[in-house]
Amino acid sequence: MGTERLAQPINFGKYELVGRIAHGRMGDAYKAKSHGVEGFEKVFVVKVFHQALTADPVFVETVIEEAKRTVTLAHANVAQVFDLGLEDQSGQYYVAQEYVSGFDLSKVIRLGQNRGSPVAR
């Protein structure tokens, strides 16, 4: 995953956002850290939804239902969902997921096409 490093980390609820991974129609995905005692640190992906979308109760309900469903998934090929929350300062909903280092699927597909070895459909 390509991460655009932030000029300085942003405190966002219990997470520290350290880089932006992606920007999309629904919000932004950040590489984030959670800190514990004695220097304990865990890396996550925190997806922060745009405030304009979270003003829509139907959107919020959909996000909550999707998070409830995905948190029950346990498979090696599915990133785990750890947290769904509402950040107090900004009023933005977010989902914290497992950070998986590597290329995203669209990049793998492009690389395969460029090398004449397309990924099977």
Side-chain angles (χ1 to χ4, degrees):
M1 282 183 205
T3 303
E4 173 191 330
R5 195 143 192 69
L6 299 177
Q8 63 184 44
I10 299 169
N11 290 322
F12 187 82
K14 59 185 170 184
Y15 301 99
E16 178 183 58
L17 309 180
V18 296
R20 187 162 73 175
I21 296 169
H23 173 74
R25 289 181 302 126
M26 292 177 39
D28 295 314
Y30 294 93
K31 183 175 181 181
K33 294 180 180 180
S34 174
H35 299 280
V37 298
E38 299 296 325
F40 180 82
E41 189 175 274
K42 175 91 175 142
V43 177
F44 294 92
V45 170
V46 175
K47 295 179 179 179
V48 179
F49 297 101
H50 293 308
Q51 284 179 316
L53 293 173
T54 60
D56 177 2
V58 174
F59 177 82
V60 172
E61 184 179 327
T62 302
V63 167
I64 291 169
E65 288 305 312
E66 183 177 317
K68 285 179 179 179
R69 282 193 301 277
T70 56
V71 77
T72 65
L73 298 176
H75 189 279
N77 296 332
V78 177
Q80 295 290 294
V81 173
F82 295 115
D83 191 15
L84 166 67
L86 177 61
E87 204 277 327
D88 292 335
Q89 298 289 329
S90 67
Q92 290 176 281
Y93 281 87
Y94 65 87
V95 174
Q97 292 182 266
E98 173 183 12
Y99 177 80
V100 179
S101 182
F103 295 119
D104 62 44
L105 182 57
S106 64
K107 186 162 189 166
V108 171
I109 290 170
R110 276 195 313 276
L111 286 171
Q113 289 170 336
N114 292 342
R115 294 181 177 169
S117 303
V119 175
R121 293 179 194 211

